[in-house]
Amino acid sequence: MPKYSIVFLAISIISLISCGKDDEAAKVDCTGLTPTYNSDIAAIFNASCATVGCHMGPFPADGLDLSKYATAKSASLNGKVLQSIKHASGAKAMPQDQGAGLIKLPAADIKKVECWIQNGAPE
């Protein structure tokens, strides 16, 4: 019986170590890229997300207003925005073009948003 306990313990430790590495591997390399909301992110959100009928105004879609720094930061730091713009499974893929259906932001814009979030979403 003790042999099984040792095997179980070893498997548990390996699982915990590998999970930690997955979290680190999920981060994008932001070397040399330090976007801020005012200089970089507001333009991306205003062009694709914070538009009439979507994520701005008195009744933004899903209660998510991306037209203001404070609300964009809050929504972004909780992971909701990044999952949506990356079209991650289980998330509502965004942005959506009213006429053409679902679209995806350019990879460079997604990386800017991801780096902005990784850096604490500076204004």
Side-chain angles (χ1 to χ4, degrees):
M1 192 82 149
K3 290 180 184 179
Y4 294 114
S5 298
I6 293 171
V7 170
F8 177 75
L9 180 61
I11 291 172
S12 297
I13 291 171
I14 291 169
S15 295
L16 288 173
I17 291 170
S18 66
C19 287
K21 288 181 181 177
D22 288 344
D23 291 342
E24 290 176 18
K27 290 186 176 185
V28 68
D29 181 13
C30 296
T31 304
L33 188 61
T34 55
T36 64
Y37 181 80
N38 292 327
S39 296
D40 307 283
I41 305 307
I44 295 168
F45 285 171
N46 289 340
S48 302
C49 311
T51 58
V52 175
C54 290
H55 298 290
M56 71 172 287
F59 303 106
D62 299 323
L64 180 61
D65 186 348
L66 296 176
S67 67
K68 298 177 208 151
Y69 170 70
T71 52
K73 177 182 178 179
S74 176
S76 297
L77 290 177
N78 75 17
K80 186 175 182 180
V81 171
L82 189 57
Q83 290 175 351
S84 291
I85 66 171
K86 288 178 90 171
H87 296 193
S89 65
K92 186 175 180 181
M94 291 286 159
Q96 293 187 3
D97 181 1
Q98 300 301 325
L102 185 63
I103 59 173
K104 192 168 185 179
L105 292 176
D109 287 349
I110 293 172
K111 184 174 181 175
K112 281 182 187 174
V113 173
E114 191 163 8
C115 290
W116 176 66
I117 292 167
Q118 282 186 153
N119 291 325
E123 189 171 13

